Amino acid sequence: MTTFNDYKYVRPDLNDAKTQFDVLFTAFDNAQSVEEQIKVIDDINVLRNKIDSMSNLAYIRASINTKDEFYEQERDFFDENNGEIVYFESLYFNALNRSQFKAELKEVYGEQLFDLAELYVKQFDESIKELLNTENKIASEYSKLVASAEIEYKGDMYTFAQMGKFMESSEREERKSATLAIQNYRAGLMNQYDDIYDRLVKVRHEIATTLGFDNFIELGYVRMRRVDYTPDMVKTYRDQIAKYVVPVAQKLYSAQAERIGIDNLKIYDEPILFTNGNELPKDDAHTILENGRQMYKELSAETDAFYSFMMDRELFDVEAKKGKQAGGYCTFIDDYKSPFIFSNFNGTDSDIRVLTHEAGHAFQVFRSRGHKVPDYLWPTHESCEIHSMSMEFLTYKWMDLFFNNAAKFIYKHLADAIQFLPYGVAVDEFQHIVYANPELSPEERRKAWTSLEQKYLPHTDYDGIEPLIHGALWHRQGHIFESPFYYIDYTLAQVCAFQFFKRSTEDFDAAWKDYLHICDIGGSLPFNKIVEVAQLQSPFKDGTLEEIMNFLEKYLENIDTSKF
């Protein structure tokens, strides 16, 4: 059987690709029937998939080992030529938009492809190719800076991911000393973080104004393919979070402080919900993955087929190690019809959350991989996160496979999910402030972050630790640097996932049926229509947040935390 290590990488010849695309686009424009144009679209997509497959292989292998010179050079190649690749994409979407058979093509492919095409055309012009290359190179500086971290602690060197186990120690002094070690390291890099972000903000603003937008906020929404909601709708949604979620989150923080026996919850106390520490996985990474086989076999025939495919082809790389890029992700290698899951297991409960979360992404694209339109393999980002976050809840009944006390894990998982929402919208509002005011200095940006903490995270106490007291917490959030405006998506999806959880407690089979359906439709519909098809309420709808928070509060109240 072919495994991931056998997947062949060959750097694409972009000059040759350009020649092939030119021939295909000419054939598309000269087509005398919709059938001819469909045939050309198929050929175009084969070429698009080849380039995307090689880009993903280079990215995966470079992130597994950032010290691999060959794949680092290949990732640099794609960064440096991103403008050219985006140019190819823009030619494709322009061709769709001007097709003389557009109405007939919509009958074949659906409205969503053409809505996406209109947005894509807005985000690109040949005049910005070099600016796009610059943006990608600067963003890569951030990921490499994070991946290169070597934090000295107790005589050894650790990555950020490897420090996680110390941050969740049941001993308060160890949590504090680990936090100090991390923040002392970050303090030495604060100017670099600020400088990288400053350059990103400025180049993104220049890209936006060159394309005719007032600022990058407008372009950011276009890039995120937001077809059916606006910044004004997002602002109203953030206001609902402040009204209905922040008070519940603050109650949870207060209960946490009382439960672990401290008067004032400090930043290094936040990861610990119980006096004897959080529930940790009972097994190592290899056993966790193997236990996943049983979980997904019992969940459904569909998940059994998916997980066996992933394991048999070795499409996981989950253990934290030096030189490995931070974070976790799921991607898809088109030419091999293969999802791939990347993570950094560190011996904490996040290992299981990451497994189920990224498996949710991978399962969705596995189910959607039969779509002939590559643009329908994935939904837009906020819809993608419905699949991943909901999977975290739909696998609750199998948590005994991974923990000795599953109820303890579930309580923390739910509390964390609720408390995430205010942080998530703070990240989003921060980016709106920054890109509406690109001339802000690094110091002014950090002050803006501090003001948002007071609004959404009023419990936060940094205990005088630098650089956190100077508004630098957001430096840790890679999305802010690498994927602008990709964060509110997590919160929107979280509200949808909460609804799937609620429904699963009432009728699991019905909830699973709707979940499976939205996996199958992939990206063929925009966010609000996917929510409707899933028989959920839109997070933008007045009353949705109030209703789901009432359910979650009652659910948590019925868990006896005194036994933890």
Side-chain angles (χ1 to χ4, degrees):
M1 179 179 291
T2 302
T3 66
F4 176 72
N5 284 335
D6 302 317
Y7 290 5
K8 187 177 181 181
Y9 172 81
V10 178
R11 178 188 285 191
D13 184 332
L14 296 184
N15 289 324
D16 180 58
K18 185 179 186 305
T19 300
Q20 293 184 63
F21 275 124
D22 286 343
V23 170
L24 289 166
F25 292 134
T26 299
F28 184 87
D29 288 336
N30 293 334
Q32 298 301 304
S33 69
V34 68
E35 289 78 17
E36 285 183 42
Q37 284 200 337
I38 290 171
K39 174 64 170 64
V40 176
I41 288 173
D42 289 343
D43 292 340
I44 289 170
N45 285 334
V46 168
L47 189 51
R48 292 173 70 208
N49 287 345
K50 171 59 73 176
I51 294 172
D52 191 62
S53 295
M54 295 305 104
S55 175
N56 271 320
L57 280 174
Y59 183 82
I60 293 166
R61 288 172 176 160
S63 57
I64 288 172
N65 181 8
T66 60
K67 297 180 180 179
D68 185 318
E69 292 184 6
F70 175 79
Y71 282 110
E72 276 298 294
Q73 290 175 358
E74 295 309 293
R75 181 155 70 170
D76 288 344
F77 166 79
F78 284 101
D79 285 341
E80 291 163 4
N81 289 279
N82 181 63
E84 191 69 22
I85 295 169
V86 172
Y87 172 63
F88 297 154
E89 295 287 287
S90 73
L91 291 177
Y92 168 62
F93 289 119
N94 268 299
L96 291 178
N97 277 334
R98 67 173 179 265
S99 169
Q100 61 180 315
F101 303 108
K102 191 172 181 179
E104 293 91 332
L105 289 174
K106 284 185 177 182
E107 289 295 319
V108 175
Y109 297 115
E111 292 281 346
Q112 177 72 351
L113 178 61
F114 293 86
D115 288 341
L116 296 175
E118 288 181 16
L119 292 180
Y120 205 98
V121 169
K122 291 179 181 179
Q123 79 174 59
F124 183 80
D125 182 86
E126 281 193 77
S127 61
I128 65 164
K129 279 202 291 189
E130 288 307 313
L131 290 172
L132 289 175
N133 292 338
T134 299
E135 180 189 2
N136 271 274
K137 288 170 70 174
I138 299 171
S140 288
E141 283 183 46
Y142 174 81
S143 62
K144 290 176 183 178
L145 185 63
V146 174
S148 67
E150 292 189 347
I151 302 160
E152 185 175 358
Y153 186 64
K154 293 188 174 181
D156 286 315
M157 306 301 290
Y158 298 93
T159 66
F160 286 121
Q162 291 170 332
M163 288 295 292
K165 59 186 176 183
F166 304 117
M167 299 289 289
E168 294 195 12
S169 169
S170 59
E171 297 297 324
R172 194 182 197 197
E173 283 307 310
E174 175 150 80
R175 297 197 301 273
K176 182 175 181 178
S177 63
T179 300
L180 286 168
I182 290 172
Q183 295 308 323
N184 286 338
Y185 181 84
R186 286 195 184 277
L189 298 174
M190 187 166 78
N191 290 338
Q192 284 181 258
Y193 285 127
D194 278 338
D195 174 65
I196 289 171
Y197 193 55
D198 190 61
R199 286 184 284 134
L200 281 171
V201 170
K202 286 179 168 55
V203 74
R204 286 169 179 157
H205 183 71
E206 184 178 356
I207 290 170
T209 55
T210 301
L211 290 171
F213 295 101
D214 289 338
N215 56 45
F216 183 75
I217 295 172
E218 297 175 7
L219 177 57
Y221 273 60
V222 167
R223 283 186 176 185
M224 295 299 294
R225 310 288 189 270
R226 292 176 178 167
V227 171
D228 58 355
Y229 61 96
T230 65
D232 286 341
M233 292 170 69
V234 170
K235 181 184 181 303
T236 301
Y237 165 74
R238 291 196 307 257
D239 291 343
Q240 296 292 300
I241 295 287
K243 182 176 182 179
Y244 293 112
V245 183
V246 169
V248 177
Q250 295 308 300
K251 287 181 188 177
L252 290 171
Y253 285 120
S254 296
Q256 176 184 355
E258 182 178 353
R259 191 166 53 248
I260 64 177
I262 57 175
D263 294 329
N264 297 305
L265 198 73
K266 307 296 184 184
I267 188 68
Y268 45 81
D269 297 316
E270 288 184 25
I272 295 297
L273 272 70
F274 313 105
T275 53
N276 59 350
N278 297 334
E279 187 69 9
L280 302 179
K282 57 187 178 182
D283 295 305
D284 60 15
H286 173 77
T287 307
I288 288 171
L289 290 181
E290 286 298 327
N291 284 340
R293 283 187 189 270
Q294 180 180 341
M295 174 172 69
Y296 284 116
K297 183 175 183 178
E298 293 177 2
L299 175 55
S300 73
E302 295 87 357
T303 50
D304 183 24
F306 148 73
Y307 200 79
S308 295
F309 179 94
M310 297 289 290
M311 289 290 283
D312 294 346
R313 288 161 181 78
E314 299 176 3
L315 296 166
F316 291 92
D317 191 292
V318 299
E319 294 187 67
K321 50 184 178 283
K322 290 180 180 178
K324 187 175 180 180
Q325 183 174 301
Y329 62 78
C330 170
T331 190
F332 186 76
I333 308 159
D334 300 82
D335 284 354
Y336 292 93
K337 300 297 181 187
S338 297
F340 187 91
I341 290 176
F342 172 96
S343 185
N344 281 273
F345 283 9
N346 59 10
T348 69
D349 61 359
S350 69
D351 295 351
I352 311 305
R353 294 202 312 271
V354 168
L355 173 65
T356 54
H357 181 99
E358 300 303 341
H361 283 309
F363 178 64
Q364 175 266 301
V365 76
F366 182 82
R367 295 289 298 180
S368 303
R369 64 188 184 148
H371 281 289
K372 291 184 67 177
V373 181
D375 311 275
Y376 288 171
L377 288 173
W378 300 99
T380 48
H381 290 294
E382 71 291 281
S383 301
C384 277
E385 300 302 338
I386 297 175
H387 309 106
S388 57
M389 290 182 159
S390 297
M391 182 66 83
E392 294 178 41
F393 294 112
L394 294 171
T395 52
Y396 265 6
K397 64 176 71 175
W398 289 275
M399 288 302 102
D400 285 330
L401 291 171
F402 306 102
F403 299 101
N404 289 316
N405 190 334
K408 187 178 178 184
F409 164 78
I410 289 170
Y411 179 90
K412 180 178 183 294
H413 181 259
L414 272 175
D416 286 348
I418 292 169
Q419 291 166 334
F420 164 73
L421 291 177
Y423 172 76
V425 297
V427 168
D428 182 71
E429 189 166 337
F430 175 71
Q431 293 181 92
H432 279 79
I433 291 170
V434 166
Y435 289 110
N437 304 278
E439 75 286 348
L440 292 178
S441 68
E443 292 77 13
E444 288 171 325
R445 291 186 193 116
R446 286 189 268 107
K447 285 181 180 177
W449 175 261
T450 298
S451 70
L452 292 172
E453 287 182 336
Q454 294 166 359
K455 177 179 180 181
Y456 293 110
L457 309 164
H459 69 286
T460 304
D461 184 342
Y462 291 124
D463 200 21
I465 297 174
E466 296 186 357
L468 295 176
I469 58 172
H470 302 302
L473 180 75
W474 59 272
H475 284 171
R476 72 183 184 181
Q477 198 62 60
H479 301 75
I480 292 176
F481 292 82
E482 299 170 304
S483 305
F485 292 107
Y486 182 5
Y487 214 69
I488 197 73
D489 308 71
Y490 289 112
T491 74
L492 293 169
Q494 187 71 80
V495 175
C496 295
F498 281 148
Q499 294 180 68
F500 264 125
F501 171 53
K502 180 176 183 291
R503 290 186 58 200
S504 74
T505 65
E506 299 160 352
D507 187 339
F508 187 91
D509 290 342
W512 176 255
K513 181 180 178 181
D514 286 330
Y515 175 83
L516 186 62
H517 180 51
I518 64 168
C519 287
D520 289 345
I521 66 177
S524 60
L525 294 174
F527 173 67
N528 279 307
K529 287 187 179 178
I530 287 177
V531 171
E532 182 181 343
V533 167
Q535 301 190 65
L536 307 175
Q537 293 184 21
S538 171
F540 300 113
K541 181 183 176 183
D542 188 41
T544 298
L545 280 161
E546 183 178 16
E547 179 182 340
I548 198 64
M549 293 312 298
N550 286 336
F551 163 76
L552 293 171
E553 272 202 283
K554 290 176 183 176
Y555 188 94
L556 286 172
E557 287 170 1
N558 288 328
I559 298 177
D560 184 1
T561 57
S562 66
K563 297 179 179 179
F564 303 155

